[in-house]
Amino acid sequence: MTSARHNNLCLCNTCHKLCKKPPAAQTKALCPRCYSPLFSRKPETLIRTWALTIAAAILFIPANLLPITTITYLGHSQPDTIMSGIIALTKAGMIPIAIVVFIASIAVPVLKLLGIVTLLLSVQYRWSMNPTQRTLMFRMIEWIGRWSMLDLFVIAILMALINLGNLSEFEAGSAANAFGLVVVLTMFAATSFDPRLIWDQDVTTDDKEPKDIKDD
Amino acid sequence: MTPPFLRERPLTACHECDLLLQPAQKKLHQIVRCPRCGYKLYQHKPGSTHNTIALALAGVVFFIPANTLPIMSMELFGQTHIDTMLTGVTRLFDNGHWWISGLVLLCSVIFPLMRLVLALLVLIPLQLGRSSRAQIEAFKLYHHLSSWSMLEVYMIGILVAIIKLANMAMISPGYGLICFTGLMLCTIGLSQTLDEHTTWDLLEKYRHD
């Protein structure tokens, strides 16, 4: 198996055109087709991904401890964290909704953070994990990230609907800000990770010929 | 040093694992995957350009009613409250949550609209055989916005909100919900019908002609 990098070629990250690899000294090489900066691997990919992931992990703590919503009903205020909101839904018998909120607001962000950290460590310490499985994990992390926005959308909809002055009010809490940042930062972290690093350590055999593409 | 096989025919490489590949002949409706990591390299979508233009135009038509007509209304203690796509955003903003308000506005209103408009700006001139630097920049932006347009997530959010409120108030869906569903289907369809691979090839081809 031979990689593009081995043949002094690199794929444009935006339009996927195969280009000649820019010399290391030339930092401002642009793709001839779409004028995006060319690089064989995303620049500073590990440092950037670590930074974004750590920031998201830190913000995940206030996002879960502070109240995400406060419902005032007939003069009685009830602040809810993400978890207490899920417990309240379960007690009210709305199990399916509780499961949906739990998956979007807790399971997905936690699994994403753990997944990105696993990928980073596996690349840095050359763990012998199956590269195909790791690529699949990366694709899942990329795809599922946006679904964590669900809770914020629900808050926006409920704020519009529940607005009766003193009788009943629905208010977003400070955790919503932290949670919004967690979602955005983890999405950026997934984009800044370069999956090609997973395969770079895999090049054990170095064939001289490129492989033919298989058809589905 | 250029290996001899590079001079024979144009090669491609996998975007996810950097494997160097000989491109296969494009066949109708064919999906081509990387033999090493399984990444979908490209999928041939016949009629992609005019299908996408049609979908994007339909999306633009749905956009205004979807954002201004009531998505649902709720009756509580004899008072009726109406929710459009923008009421939640403005209330969040008025209560000082400008960051969440902006995030929701971008992901559920602005980015979906931008993707529709950018697709039209790229594809209509392309259909007429034109390609310019502006189209290339627009298509790059379209590509980068793909994961930030989240109408299907918003749709599930609407359903969650309806179920949450169902036992405390009377909820009735509005016409905005129908238009919103149409808009959501158009934005999802856009990613399904647009053949990014061929679009880049055409943008390049017409530039040099």
Side-chain angles (χ1 to χ4, degrees), chain B residues 89-104:
Chain B
V89 172
T90 48
R91 275 218 68 212
L92 277 167
F93 192 83
D94 292 343
N95 291 10
H97 304 285
W98 55 267
W99 151 245
I100 296 293
S101 151
L103 191 60
V104 172

Side-chain angles (χ1 to χ4, degrees), chain A:
Chain A
M1 301 255 186
T2 178
S3 68
R5 185 153 78 162
H6 269 163
N7 292 287
N8 283 327
L9 296 164
C10 78
L11 202 68
C12 169
N13 226 11
T14 307
C15 74
H16 299 190
K17 183 183 171 70
L18 194 66
C19 311
K20 280 219 157 49
K21 193 167 143 187
Q26 197 188 341
T27 44
K28 286 226 167 185
L30 294 181
C31 166
R33 178 157 78 174
C34 75
Y35 310 102
S36 302
L38 278 180
F39 32 78
S40 182
R41 298 292 176 266
K42 290 178 187 172
E44 272 95 48
T45 172
L46 291 175
I47 297 174
R48 281 182 196 188
T49 313
W50 269 120
L52 290 161
T53 311
I54 291 167
I58 293 169
L59 280 162
F60 194 61
I61 299 163
N64 275 285
L65 294 180
L66 294 171
I68 192 156
T69 55
T70 305
I71 302 173
T72 311
Y73 195 69
L74 305 175
H76 167 72
S77 283
Q78 196 201 340
D80 260 321
T81 60
I82 296 177
M83 201 63 218
S84 71
I86 293 168
I87 292 166
L89 282 173
T90 326
K91 279 186 180 152
M94 296 191 248
I95 309 281
I97 291 294
I99 293 172
V100 168
V101 175
F102 176 79
I103 290 174
S105 309
I106 293 181
V108 168
V110 168
L111 290 174
K112 256 177 75 174
L113 289 169
L114 290 176
I116 296 172
V117 168
T118 309
L119 287 174
L120 285 167
L121 292 172
S122 79
V123 166
Q124 279 180 304
Y125 294 100
R126 301 182 168 271
W127 290 352
S128 54
M129 284 168 76
N130 179 331
T132 313
Q133 282 175 358
R134 277 188 281 163
T135 309
L136 204 64
M137 192 159 103
F138 169 74
R139 253 174 251 162
M140 280 295 293
I141 290 169
E142 246 191 337
W143 177 83
I144 208 154
R146 46 219 300 278
W147 287 91
S148 300
M149 282 289 286
L150 184 72
D151 219 10
L152 298 178
F153 289 153
V154 173
I155 290 170
I157 296 164
L158 292 180
M159 271 189 82
L161 285 171
I162 310 177
N163 175 21
L164 300 167
N166 298 330
L167 271 179
S168 166
E169 214 177 13
F170 185 88
E171 173 67 74
S174 38
N177 292 314
F179 189 76
L181 273 171
V182 170
V183 178
V184 172
L185 289 174
T186 48
M187 279 179 76
F188 278 133
T191 344
S192 65
F193 182 77
D194 195 331
R196 288 171 292 195
L197 296 174
I198 296 171
W199 297 90
D200 281 348
Q201 62 193 62
D202 183 61
V203 185
T204 41
T205 54
D206 198 3
D207 301 342
K208 284 282 166 277
E209 291 290 314
K211 284 189 70 94
D212 274 323
I213 287 181
K214 282 182 204 150
D215 292 355
D216 272 19

Side-chain angles (χ1 to χ4, degrees), chain B residues 32-193:
Chain B
V32 175
R33 289 184 187 280
C34 169
R36 183 163 70 166
C37 74
Y39 176 73
K40 194 198 269 185
L41 293 161
Y42 57 78
Q43 181 176 6
H44 180 63
K45 299 169 184 170
S48 145
T49 310
H50 50 249
N51 286 347
T52 313
I53 291 175
L55 265 177
L57 284 173
V60 171
V61 169
F62 278 125
F63 183 81
I64 293 178
N67 281 284
T68 51
L69 292 176
I71 285 189
M72 52 185 165
S73 54
M74 178 176 98
E75 207 179 307
L76 192 66
F77 306 126
Q79 294 191 33
T80 308
H81 287 270
I82 290 172
D83 174 35
T84 68
M85 289 293 285
L86 298 172
T87 5
V89 172
T90 48
R91 275 218 68 212
L92 277 167
F93 192 83
D94 292 343
N95 291 10
H97 304 285
W98 55 267
W99 151 245
I100 296 293
S101 151
L103 191 60
V104 172
L105 181 71
L106 286 174
C107 295
S108 64
V109 179
I110 293 178
F111 290 156
L113 177 67
M114 276 176 77
R115 285 198 77 196
L116 292 168
V117 172
L118 289 168
L120 289 173
L121 290 177
V122 174
L123 294 174
I124 290 177
L126 196 67
Q127 185 76 346
L128 304 169
R130 286 194 212 123
S131 165
S132 64
R133 179 72 196 258
Q135 275 162 275
I136 287 169
E137 292 302 327
F139 199 48
K140 269 157 69 174
L141 190 55
Y142 171 91
H143 172 85
H144 292 307
L145 286 179
S146 64
S147 54
W148 294 96
S149 153
M150 308 184 184
L151 291 181
E152 63 275 37
V153 183
Y154 199 95
M155 189 75 181
I156 304 291
I158 293 173
L159 295 176
V160 170
I162 288 177
I163 295 170
K164 268 191 174 178
L165 295 171
N167 56 2
M168 62 183 266
M170 279 290 297
I171 309 260
S172 41
Y175 286 112
L177 189 59
I178 299 169
C179 300
F180 174 78
T181 309
L183 176 63
M184 178 195 76
L185 292 174
C186 289
T187 55
I188 295 175
L190 207 62
S191 325
Q192 295 300 318
T193 56

